[in-house]
Amino acid sequence: MNKSSTPGIKQIQYDRQLRLWGDHGQKALESGRVCLIGANALGTEILKALVLPGLGSFTIIDHELVTLADCGSNFFVHSSMINQSRARITCDFLTQLNPDVHGIYIDKPSIDDLLKQNTFDFSQFNIVITANLSINTLNILANHLWMLKIPLLVARIYGFIGTIRLQIFEHYVIEAHPDDTIPDLRLDQPLNTFINYCNSIDLNSLTREEHLHLPSLIILFKTLQIWQKQHNRNDLPHTHIDKDEFKKILDQLSHHSSYDIHDKEKYLENFEEAKRTIPSRLVKTNLPSTIKELFQDQSCLELSEQTNIFWFIIHAIKLFSENEGQGLLPVRGEVPDMITNTDSYIKILKIYQEQAKKDCEIVNNYLFDLLKKYRLSNEYIDSYDLAEIYCNNASFLKVLRTTAIKNENNLIDETDSNLSWYIGLYLCDLFYEKFHRYPGEFLSDDRQFEIDLNDLKQISKKLSSKNFMSDDKQQILEELCRYGASELHSIAAFIGGCCAQEAIKLITHQYIPIDNTLIYNGIQQSINKQYNQINADPILIEIAWTAHDYDLHTIPSLQLVTNPLVSRQFSPISNKIFTNLQQLNAEYARYAVWFPYPKLAVAELDPPSGLFQCSNVGENYSIHLSCEQGGGVISKIDFASFGTAIGACGQMKQGTCNAANSSDIIQRACIGQQKCSVTASTDLFGDPCTGTSKRLLVQIECNPPQNNTYWNFTHIDPMLEDFLKATDGHSRIISFSTQPTWLFQQDTPHIYPDNATYVDWGYPVGTKFIDDTMQTLGDYYGRLFAWYTRGGFIDEYGLKHNSGYEYDWDYTEIFNEVEAEHQMTVEYYTRAYDAVIQGIRRHTNNYDMKYVGMALGNHNEFDWYRYFLNHSNHAPDIPLDMISYHFYAIGSSRIDPQSWESFFTQLDTFTFEVEQIEEIRKILSPETRTTIDELGVILSDDNNPNAPLFPLIYWNAAAALYGYAWGKISRYGINVVGHSQLVGYPQLSDLQLQPQYPSVALLNWTTGEGTAKYWTSKLLIDTVDIDNDQGVITRTTDINNQNIFSQAFIGKNNRRWVLIINKRYANVDVFLPGCTGGRMQIINEASGFGPATEVTLTLSRITLSPYAIAIVHMPATDV
């Protein structure tokens, strides 16, 4: 056979896999070197799956001899080979599978001896794989490989359970092959050559045939040019109004003078394609956050001669982005298929490919200079080929760093039921350490089984402080004892194949490997799941597509509540939070400036001073006193006490604890000064009462006298700025829900925390305002809104405060859950509502602002609605634009996913309340709109720092509740349903933050990534077409709808979609006729912290995993 024929043979032999990872991937595999430790059934299945596709070489380390047990589970050995070297026999058979693969074995010394001698060179391998290696040996090996930075794959089977654990110091994913990507077309920042090509096409001069085959990409860009010109904008359409106007222009462009009646009656496929692809092609071009993280990685910023080539290329791409790329990545050079003729498509493709080539050459020049600088250019002569691969995949480059196996315990989430088997295996390893055998491995009789099981349970109980195995999981220990560490070939084959896949990902640097651990349950044939199937026969979803049910007016939205993790002043993820908020494109997002952090919520925490100037701070904080406003100096100290003094300004009283030197110290520091600062510390004042919490209270006078106010927007402005920027172009609801406590009657003034990030759940005090006319209340809100909408305000003493802000938003919500926070009656609240509106109008002269009233938190308060919605109970000219109220399902357990099925029955009860409120509203004030602007779940003990953290599937259960709520409530025509809420968190000790309702969060409080709740909101926002979609009659065979919720919608151009929600903690099968060929977007446990997974449906039967939310986009057809 001559050498020239070899590639052709390989092309045929490896045809299927070449389609997966290409020639360069195959080349990498053929140069791959793998070390396998353990030639048992599992180990040989792993190597078989690597040898067949053409692994370069392997080394087997195994000192064991073939046993009778091997003959029952390992197809590579049989009884005639008993007592022979297992490594030698399996090596011989494996190399016969593919003569191109080189294999050797080491059967002496054992792996334990090799590690003790520390002479074996593991650095020669790309990967080391272990198969059922004992825990002590594994730990020594893992530590050794971690130091060498060699990837380790730990494979294990134990009866019907299989696991794979990846330990890797740093792995580079160069070609991730994402399932669903947005084309890199950059219509918002178009290529100059593309602009020139589009401008060369005159739509009016096209022939009928040219118009029918005009590429949809050209259609979209032409439409965009017209839309931008009409609106004097250079961005993309964002809102529903923008998109509707955009579609109208597109429809106008679809007309052609030469079309006859038949052309006009049928759909123009290219224009329909343009309309259909708006969501994927009219998208803002950004630098992905994952790439930003790579650019900021220490390895990228600090190159050296020892740095991996990956980081040199990342650095080169970074230089391109910062210079020629103008903040963007190189063009990918791919164009999606579209309805047009071949010549037109090739012209467009050529434009993008030529730009991609230019960008790649620039990146390669940067790379060459970097390699030359570090004297590495001779090692990478073909750097252009590398640069080209990286540029083509720049958006999806990724670095994976797992935890070391020595930190294994840190990976275990004690409350996650999916890891129970994995934890059980850990306990079996501890059993092995103690008895030198696995539980149930050598059973002489049933009594030995009971002894082993009892010993295993005792080991579990000793670890109860770590909660490794709770009582309700003890049956897992029984199953593991029955397995007796047996190897089943079917499990070995499955785990072996999976492990080989992971090895190929690591060798080729293609596709994304598992992150830490994979668990396979052979009993239920599930990965990382232990769910039961709820129904044997699928639930049939029957849809009458021509039977109108109701019009869709309900906008999916969300709320963001102020807290330190939102603020860029305190939060490491603030930027990520607002980026995610912006990407939602939500209408009517509610921004709630709420009381638990007074300095983040109230602009005037202390009342106007009169002629006295006062300060009140806690221990180790500083008072700041000033007379400089009037050009004077501090002339008198009326009161000073470091201890337990109390009282408001002008009413301060010394407590039982007082530092006698307080007045002297303040006088020395302040008298005759324009301003002064003094720290309230025992170092300065001494300690008048050890062990007692102390404060420093001071009252001064100025010469000449001056009046002071204490307006302070330091912590409030940044968050509101970021919110308004992130929601620019969309409708917003702003709720400054917290009133200063000094407006209320109270026996002693409330002391708020000195630290802006400290929580104060007791801040709302008082039930009646000091000023019964409520004008002072109105003035507070009037000045507050003037600060943000009119550039500033004039304070209580006539002093002008300038802000420079002239913001505009749609709705202002007045107060929050007042029946709870200040125990107001509806009559009292109604007066306050009117007073606030009058105050805002008085200070801003803004009569266009719309208002939201009530924001009730309790339920069945129908008298509130009857009174408030009666216009005769309000002052003249007071609008009732919108009302709001809230709903939270309450979780009785934080760790039991089964119990969360109750969320849906709680929502069912709430919908009866919605129906009754709607009846009242329609009678009294039918023009008033409604927003349910807080809807979500709160788990028990949510603000308890010691409460256990819920398992990850909770996000899916809470997300399913919101999707279910939106779907059910949309039937009543409610205008907005807001998902609560974007940012919550448990105790974050590193940021010194106390818990803030972690179960309500839509984002991960550590990374800022979206949870299933966030992605469900985005899925609904992106899918619904308000006022155009219509609900159609939808029925199911699910008795009492106990398992699923389903609602179908039809919109413009017969766009059909179906919302399906699994309400159970179990798999549920549904049958949706006619869905084959359509697309399904599904959010479930597998989608994790990522967006909905999108699949093309090849069957009408769909399996919904626990608490899954799916939207099925039905294939196009005439209805």
Side-chain angles (χ1 to χ4, degrees):
M1 181 183 296
N2 60 51
K3 292 183 180 180
S4 62
S5 66
T6 304
I9 293 174
K10 282 195 175 184
Q11 194 75 27
I12 297 171
Q13 180 181 358
Y14 300 134
D15 177 72
R16 188 173 181 182
Q17 63 205 50
L18 287 172
R19 297 169 190 264
L20 292 175
W21 51 69
D23 290 333
H24 56 289
Q26 184 64 29
K27 184 178 178 181
L29 181 61
E30 290 176 359
S31 62
R33 301 175 304 280
V34 171
C35 175
L36 172 74
I37 301 174
N40 45 39
L42 175 57
T44 52
E45 287 295 330
I46 294 170
L47 278 185
K48 181 183 75 173
L50 288 171
V51 167
L52 289 173
L55 175 70
S57 65
F58 65 83
T59 298
I60 298 175
I61 300 176
D62 189 346
H63 70 285
E64 298 286 350
L65 303 178
V66 176
T67 65
L68 185 61
D70 289 319
C71 299
S73 60
N74 192 337
F75 287 0
F76 283 79
V77 299
H78 51 80
S79 56
S80 64
M81 302 172 180
I82 292 176
N83 292 328
Q84 297 184 41
S85 167
R86 190 166 64 175
R88 177 180 60 78
I89 290 171
T90 53
C91 182
D92 290 343
F93 277 104
L94 286 165
T95 52
Q96 291 176 29
L97 294 176
N98 191 337
D100 293 331
V101 178
H102 178 64
I104 63 173
Y105 67 92
I106 299 173
D107 56 6
K108 291 180 182 178
S110 67
I111 181 62
D112 293 299
D113 291 334
L114 285 175
L115 291 171
K116 288 177 183 176
Q117 295 166 8
N118 198 23
T119 56
F120 188 73
D121 182 18
F122 283 99
S123 63
Q124 63 183 296
F125 302 109
N126 299 102
I127 308 166
V128 175
I129 304 173
T130 68
N132 289 353
L133 193 62
S134 66
I135 187 170
N136 287 332
T137 306
L138 175 61
N139 286 335
I140 296 169
L141 175 67
N143 290 339
H144 184 63
L145 295 177
W146 183 259
M147 298 298 294
L148 295 174
K149 300 182 181 179
I150 303 297
L152 170 64
L153 275 167
V154 180
R156 181 178 190 178
I157 59 173
Y158 197 104
F160 285 97
I161 306 302
T163 66
I164 300 173
R165 168 78 159 89
L166 172 61
Q167 173 186 279
I168 192 163
F169 189 88
E170 191 171 83
H171 173 71
Y172 316 111
V173 181
I174 300 170
E175 296 175 80
H177 299 280
D179 292 329
D180 187 31
T181 62
I182 295 175
D184 184 19
L185 302 173
R186 310 193 181 195
L187 295 187
D188 61 330
Q189 301 183 51
L191 308 179
N192 290 330
T193 49
F194 181 77
I195 295 173
N196 295 336
Y197 177 63
C198 291
N199 290 341
S200 70
I201 299 172
D202 182 3
L203 296 183
N204 295 323
S205 63
L206 295 179
T207 66
R208 174 180 175 277
E209 200 64 23
E210 289 171 337
H211 195 268
L212 285 170
H213 293 91
L214 187 66
S216 58
L217 197 60
I218 305 294
I219 295 169
L220 284 172
F221 187 71
K222 288 281 188 182
T223 306
L224 181 62
Q225 285 180 313
I226 297 170
W227 181 85
Q228 289 177 334
K229 185 176 181 180
Q230 288 181 356
H231 294 82
N232 193 28
R233 288 167 60 174
N234 58 7
D235 60 343
L236 299 173
H238 293 300
T239 66
H240 286 291
I241 295 174
D242 289 345
K243 292 175 182 177
D244 285 344
E245 291 173 348
F246 185 92
K247 291 174 184 177
K248 287 178 183 177
I249 297 171
L250 196 152
D251 288 335
Q252 292 169 2
L253 295 181
S254 68
H255 302 309
H256 194 274
S257 58
S258 65
Y259 287 164
D260 58 26
I261 187 65
H262 300 294
D263 290 320
K264 292 176 182 178
E265 287 178 350
K266 69 182 182 181
Y267 289 123
L268 302 175
E269 290 182 332
N270 54 341
F271 282 83
E272 286 303 310
E273 183 182 66
K275 192 177 297 184
R276 188 172 64 251
T277 56
I278 287 174
S280 61
R281 297 182 184 176
L282 283 187
V283 293
K284 186 175 181 180
T285 310
N286 285 317
L287 189 67
S289 59
T290 53
I291 304 305
K292 290 180 183 177
E293 292 173 3
L294 291 182
F295 286 172
Q296 297 304 315
D297 196 290
Q298 209 67 21
S299 298
C300 175
L301 299 175
E302 299 177 2
L303 300 176
S304 70
E305 293 181 11
Q306 287 73 42
T307 301
N308 189 281
I309 185 64
F310 175 90
W311 292 112
F312 279 94
I313 302 177
I314 293 296
H315 195 101
I317 295 173
K318 180 177 184 285
L319 292 173
F320 171 89
S321 178
E322 292 171 346
N323 296 286
E324 293 85 350
Q326 298 181 0
L328 301 179
L329 292 173
V331 171
R332 288 210 296 267
E334 299 173 353
V335 175
D337 199 7
M338 61 188 73
I339 299 169
T340 185
N341 54 47
T342 303
D343 289 341
S344 298
Y345 180 81
I346 290 175
K347 285 179 181 177
I348 296 175
L349 180 62
K350 188 176 179 182
I351 288 170
Y352 282 90
Q353 287 181 338
E354 287 178 352
Q355 186 62 50
K357 184 178 180 182
K358 290 178 183 177
D359 291 354
C360 182
E361 287 173 349
I362 296 170
V363 171
N364 186 54
N365 289 336
Y366 281 126
L367 176 60
F368 181 82
D369 291 340
L370 289 170
L371 293 173
K372 186 176 180 181
K373 177 181 177 181
Y374 291 94
R375 298 185 293 277
L376 297 171
S377 54
N378 292 333
E379 295 183 30
Y380 297 97
I381 298 174
D382 296 326
S383 63
Y384 182 84
D385 293 338
L386 272 175
E388 185 177 34
I389 293 173
Y390 277 70
C391 288
N392 290 342
N393 296 277
S395 297
F396 317 111
L397 296 171
K398 181 181 177 66
V399 172
L400 178 65
R401 299 179 176 109
T402 73
T403 309
I405 285 177
K406 63 184 178 182
N407 299 325
E408 182 72 37
N409 291 357
N410 297 333
L411 297 175
I412 298 176
D413 179 357
E414 297 89 341
T415 64
D416 190 342
S417 62
N418 292 337
L419 289 173
S420 296
W421 288 100
Y422 194 76
I423 299 167
L425 292 176
Y426 177 78
L427 297 174
C428 290
D429 287 333
L430 298 181
F431 184 103
Y432 184 91
E433 282 185 350
K434 184 175 182 179
F435 298 104
H436 305 293
R437 62 180 180 86
Y438 288 103
E441 190 174 13
F442 302 110
L443 294 181
S444 55
D445 52 35
D446 291 340
R447 184 172 175 273
Q448 186 61 49
F449 174 87
E450 294 298 330
I451 293 172
D452 283 4
L453 178 58
N454 183 64
D455 289 335
L456 190 58
K457 288 181 177 180
Q458 292 302 315
I459 292 173
S460 172
K461 287 180 180 178
K462 287 181 180 178
L463 293 172
S464 60
S465 61
K466 291 186 178 181
N467 217 7
F468 271 107
M469 188 62 65
S470 56
D471 291 340
D472 61 335
K473 300 296 189 302
Q474 293 293 318
Q475 65 270 23
I476 290 176
L477 301 185
E478 295 181 24
E479 286 295 319
L480 291 172
C481 277
R482 291 191 184 97
Y483 296 159
S486 60
E487 289 189 338
L488 302 180
H489 183 266
S490 58
I491 306 299
F494 181 83
I495 293 297
C498 291
C499 189
Q501 276 190 348
E502 299 307 312
I504 291 171
K505 292 176 187 177
L506 297 171
I507 293 170
T508 62
H509 294 276
Q510 297 190 38
Y511 301 93
I512 299 175
I514 60 170
D515 191 348
N516 286 315
T517 307
L518 177 148
I519 306 166
Y520 175 67
N521 184 337
I523 302 171
Q524 298 171 347
Q525 298 186 1
S526 62
I527 294 177
N528 267 356
K529 295 179 177 68
Q530 299 182 59
Y531 306 132
N532 297 315
Q533 186 73 26
I534 203 69
N535 55 330
D537 296 319
I539 296 169
L540 174 64
I541 301 175
E542 298 174 296
I543 302 168
W545 289 107
T546 58
H548 176 269
D549 191 358
Y550 63 94
D551 294 328
L552 182 58
H553 302 300
T554 303
I555 297 170
S557 189
L558 79 159
Q559 78 152 341
L560 171 61
V561 178
T562 55
N563 59 52
L565 202 59
V566 173
S567 173
R568 65 174 109 111
Q569 297 171 316
F570 310 110
S571 171
I573 63 168
S574 172
N575 184 58
K576 181 72 171 179
I577 289 168
F578 284 105
T579 298
N580 278 328
L581 175 61
Q582 183 178 28
Q583 291 175 354
L584 273 181
N585 288 317
E587 300 294 335
Y588 295 99
R590 180 201 192 209
Y591 181 72
V593 187
W594 196 39
F595 73 80
Y597 301 93
K599 287 194 172 184
L600 306 185
V602 179
E604 193 179 19
L605 282 166
D606 296 304
S609 67
L611 294 177
F612 301 116
Q613 315 302 316
C614 297
S615 187
N616 179 336
V617 298
E619 198 168 349
N620 297 320
Y621 287 87
S622 296
I623 60 165
H624 301 287
L625 303 166
S626 173
C627 292
E628 62 182 349
Q629 177 182 302
V633 296
I634 301 170
S635 60
K636 184 179 180 183
I637 308 299
D638 294 322
F639 182 90
S641 175
F642 177 65
T644 58
I646 59 172
C649 200
Q651 302 172 348
M652 292 180 174
K653 296 178 181 179
Q654 189 172 296
T656 56
C657 169
N658 173 60
N661 57 357
S662 299
S663 184
D664 291 340
I665 290 174
I666 299 299
Q667 287 192 31
R668 286 197 301 270
C670 300
I671 291 294
Q673 304 295 320
Q674 279 197 324
K675 60 181 179 179
C676 66
S677 297
V678 179
T679 302
S681 69
T682 54
D683 291 340
L684 182 61
F685 291 93
D687 194 343
C689 43
T690 305
T692 301
S693 178
K694 292 168 282 292
R695 300 187 68 83
L696 175 60
L697 277 69
V698 178
Q699 178 178 304
I700 66 171
E701 290 183 29
C702 297
N703 184 23
Q706 75 174 42
N707 296 307
N708 262 22
T709 60
Y710 299 95
W711 291 91
N712 189 337
F713 295 86
T714 301
H715 299 305
I716 303 175
D717 284 351
M719 287 185 290
L720 185 61
E721 287 174 5
D722 291 342
F723 174 82
L724 293 173
K725 180 181 178 182
T727 57
D728 188 34
H730 301 280
S731 304
R732 285 85 63 99
I733 299 173
I734 304 296
S735 174
F736 280 95
S737 62
T738 305
Q739 308 83 50
T741 56
W742 55 264
L743 289 173
F744 291 85
Q745 300 174 21
Q746 48 190 311
D747 295 332
T748 57
H750 179 78
I751 304 300
Y752 54 84
D754 299 287
N755 190 319
T757 66
Y758 285 4
V759 72
D760 183 4
W761 292 110
Y763 186 78
V765 294
T767 59
K768 299 293 182 183
F769 293 107
I770 295 173
D771 174 15
D772 190 57
T773 68
M774 301 188 187
Q775 181 166 328
T776 307
L777 170 70
D779 286 337
Y780 170 79
Y781 276 95
R783 293 186 176 100
L784 177 63
F785 280 73
W787 175 263
Y788 289 113
T789 65
R790 291 295 183 266
F793 62 86
I794 297 173
D795 71 15
E796 293 88 334
Y797 298 121
L799 181 68
K800 176 71 174 180
H801 297 253
N802 296 307
S803 69
Y805 295 132
E806 293 189 359
Y807 287 123
D808 187 24
W809 55 79
D810 304 81
Y811 285 82
T812 292
E813 190 177 53
I814 298 177
F815 303 174
N816 177 74
E817 299 185 354
V818 292
E819 78 276 47
E821 291 182 10
H822 285 285
Q823 296 84 52
M824 290 185 184
T825 64
V826 63
E827 294 85 358
Y828 201 75
Y829 169 75
T830 300
R831 287 181 56 212
Y833 172 88
D834 294 358
V836 169
I837 294 175
Q838 291 166 340
I840 292 173
R841 288 174 172 176
R842 199 162 51 243
H843 287 268
T844 67
N845 198 32
N846 183 350
Y847 285 76
D848 296 324
M849 176 73 74
K850 295 183 174 66
Y851 296 93
V852 183
M854 295 200 292
L856 298 183
N858 294 338
H859 294 287
N860 300 312
E861 296 179 309
F862 301 117
D863 288 340
W864 272 76
Y865 299 93
R866 293 188 185 99
Y867 186 93
F868 184 83
L869 288 170
N870 187 333
H871 287 258
S872 66
N873 292 324
H874 291 268
D877 200 29
I878 294 295
L880 299 180
D881 300 303
M882 185 181 282
I883 59 170
S884 61
Y885 49 95
H886 306 158
F887 168 80
Y888 288 94
I890 304 301
S892 59
S893 170
R894 297 185 65 81
I895 61 175
D896 180 15
Q898 194 85 39
S899 70
W900 300 333
E901 292 180 356
S902 68
F903 296 168
F904 305 95
T905 54
Q906 294 178 55
L907 191 280
D908 292 338
T909 302
F910 175 66
T911 55
F912 293 127
E913 183 180 348
V914 172
E915 192 171 2
Q916 294 174 74
I917 294 170
E918 279 298 284
E919 289 178 4
I920 296 169
R921 182 192 64 81
K922 289 174 181 177
I923 293 171
L924 292 173
S925 188
E927 74 280 3
T928 301
R929 306 178 77 203
T930 301
T931 171
I932 303 174
D933 53 15
E934 289 188 36
L935 192 148
V937 177
I938 297 177
L939 295 181
S940 60
D941 289 331
D942 218 24
N943 282 339
N944 181 349
N946 300 314
L949 197 58
F950 38 80
L952 293 180
I953 197 168
Y954 163 75
W955 298 125
N956 302 94
L961 182 277
Y962 177 74
Y964 178 64
W966 178 87
K968 288 205 73 172
I969 291 170
S970 69
R971 176 173 298 279
Y972 300 102
I974 301 300
N975 301 96
V976 183
V977 175
H979 204 169
S980 182
Q981 71 105 349
L982 195 62
V983 181
Y985 43 86
Q987 180 165 297
L988 300 176
S989 300
D990 55 336
L991 298 177
Q992 296 184 326
L993 296 181
Q994 294 175 269
Q996 183 65 228
Y997 292 107
S999 64
V1000 303
L1002 273 71
L1003 299 179
N1004 182 306
W1005 46 77
T1006 303
T1007 65
E1009 294 175 294
T1011 67
K1013 293 180 65 181
Y1014 172 87
W1015 292 111
T1016 295
S1017 285
K1018 181 157 181 60
L1019 178 61
L1020 287 170
I1021 290 168
D1022 291 347
T1023 301
V1024 302
D1025 190 0
I1026 297 300
D1027 299 332
N1028 290 319
D1029 285 344
Q1030 301 174 8
V1032 295
I1033 299 295
T1034 308
R1035 298 186 178 92
T1036 74
T1037 56
D1038 186 23
I1039 299 174
N1040 297 324
N1041 298 315
Q1042 60 181 337
N1043 298 308
I1044 69 163
F1045 169 82
S1046 181
Q1047 179 61 56
F1049 299 90
I1050 188 168
K1052 286 184 176 180
N1053 303 320
N1054 289 332
R1055 184 180 77 104
R1056 301 178 301 148
W1057 59 280
V1058 187
L1059 173 65
I1060 313 172
I1061 293 168
N1062 181 3
K1063 297 156 60 178
R1064 302 298 299 276
Y1065 180 60
N1067 288 342
V1068 176
D1069 279 2
V1070 299
F1071 189 86
L1072 180 60
C1075 70
T1076 305
R1079 295 181 300 115
M1080 179 174 71
Q1081 293 174 281
I1082 186 166
I1083 295 169
N1084 54 18
E1085 195 177 13
S1087 59
F1089 290 103
T1093 304
E1094 184 167 324
V1095 296
T1096 300
L1097 295 172
T1098 57
L1099 297 171
S1100 295
R1101 182 166 179 156
I1102 301 168
T1103 297
L1104 300 173
S1105 57
Y1107 301 130
I1109 304 101
I1111 287 182
V1112 176
H1113 303 271
M1114 302 295 283
T1117 185
D1118 293 329
V1119 177

